[in-house]
Amino acid sequence: MFSPWDRWYSTSCCLCCHVRTGTIILGIWYMLINAVVLLILLSALNDPVQYRYHLTSSELGTDIDVMDDANICIATAISLLMILICGMATYGAYKQHAAWIIPFFCYQIFDFALNTLVAISVVVYPNTVQDYLQQLPGTFPYKEDIMSTNNMCLVFAVLLFIGCILTFKAYLICCVWNCYRYVSGRGTTEVLVYVTTNDTTVLLPPYEEAIAIPPKEPPPQYMEA
């Protein structure tokens, strides 16, 4: 009897590579992205005047400092944590240590849940799309054209975009989960010993299991009447 999870289990991803290879590539890709973000944040800490972004009063009615030192420090800590988690997943998939893949898998679940909440908020509060567009700076390209579009069309386009992202993220989650199952399965696979003679082949269980098997009881003695 197969469980429902076995129907989705596969050792290949992207129709060509193994799930271990896909997890390693995914971990390296996430590490590169977070490394670039970390470099930008560190540059902003060293030269805050150049990288600090101000929205003028003519755009939003107030002067808002989006990138302050506290937010930069928090973002830097998050980037360092993400690099560590992605590095653990890459090392775990390469060295076949299943426990090292779990933090990255939990991050994927958390990220998927956040994007799902965003999609639900757009459905429940469709006017938030227009409110977000109004907060964009006046120099944003095609802002007026987008705002002149029907609100329902905007909501449908946003939901379609988020749906594509969620589908792609769900596929990546399945790939990492299959890699975890593959690595953990290889660690617990029973080792079978083959003893081959001239005309027969005998399949023996592992040594530990053979020791644990209790000996058979001898048959009862024949009693003469």
Side-chain angles (χ1 to χ4, degrees):
M1 186 66 180
F2 293 97
S3 63
W5 293 103
D6 294 334
R7 300 178 182 178
W8 302 97
Y9 177 70
S10 176
T11 57
S12 62
C13 62
C14 300
L15 304 178
C16 59
C17 62
H18 197 272
V19 287
R20 280 186 60 212
T21 306
T23 304
I24 293 173
I25 294 174
L26 184 63
I28 294 175
W29 173 251
Y30 271 79
M31 280 195 296
L32 290 176
I33 293 177
N34 286 278
V36 172
V37 173
L38 182 62
L39 289 177
I40 295 174
L41 293 174
L42 293 177
S43 301
L45 285 175
N46 293 329
D47 192 2
V49 177
Q50 180 180 358
Y51 288 90
R52 188 163 292 172
Y53 179 66
H54 292 277
L55 297 178
T56 60
S57 58
S58 60
E59 293 172 345
L60 290 179
T62 55
D63 189 9
I64 299 177
D65 188 5
V66 177
M67 296 292 291
D68 56 359
D69 292 339
N71 292 334
I72 292 178
C73 291
I74 294 174
T76 301
I78 294 175
S79 297
L80 288 174
L81 180 61
M82 285 302 306
I83 292 175
L84 177 62
I85 292 175
C86 298
M88 290 175 60
T90 304
Y91 178 81
Y94 179 73
K95 292 294 185 178
Q96 299 189 21
H97 297 311
W100 291 67
I101 306 176
I102 295 178
F104 185 70
F105 178 75
C106 294
Y107 158 73
Q108 286 184 301
I109 296 295
F110 179 73
D111 182 57
F112 184 84
L114 286 181
N115 285 272
T116 304
L117 290 177
V118 171
I120 294 174
S121 64
V122 172
V123 174
V124 177
Y125 304 103
N127 293 328
T128 55
V129 179
Q130 288 288 348
D131 296 338
Y132 176 77
L133 291 175
Q134 291 177 0
Q135 295 177 3
L136 294 176
T139 57
F140 188 82
Y142 305 106
K143 176 183 176 181
E144 298 297 332
D145 296 334
I146 297 175
M147 292 187 62
S148 62
T149 309
N150 187 10
N151 190 30
M152 294 302 298
C153 294
L154 286 176
V155 171
F156 178 77
V158 171
L159 289 178
L160 182 62
F161 178 72
I162 296 177
C164 294
I165 294 178
L166 289 177
T167 303
F168 183 67
K169 287 181 179 293
Y171 181 75
L172 294 180
I173 290 174
C174 291
C175 293
V176 175
W177 173 249
N178 288 336
C179 177
Y180 170 78
R181 292 188 60 185
Y182 173 79
V183 172
S184 60
R186 283 181 61 89
T188 58
T189 301
E190 296 180 351
V191 179
L192 298 178
V193 181
Y194 290 88
V195 179
T196 305
T197 61
N198 293 331
D199 54 351
T200 59
T201 301
V202 181
L203 182 62
L204 300 179
Y207 177 75
E208 293 79 8
E209 294 185 4
I211 296 299
I213 297 176
K216 294 183 178 180
E217 296 181 359
Q221 296 181 358
Y222 177 74
M223 301 296 295
E224 296 183 356

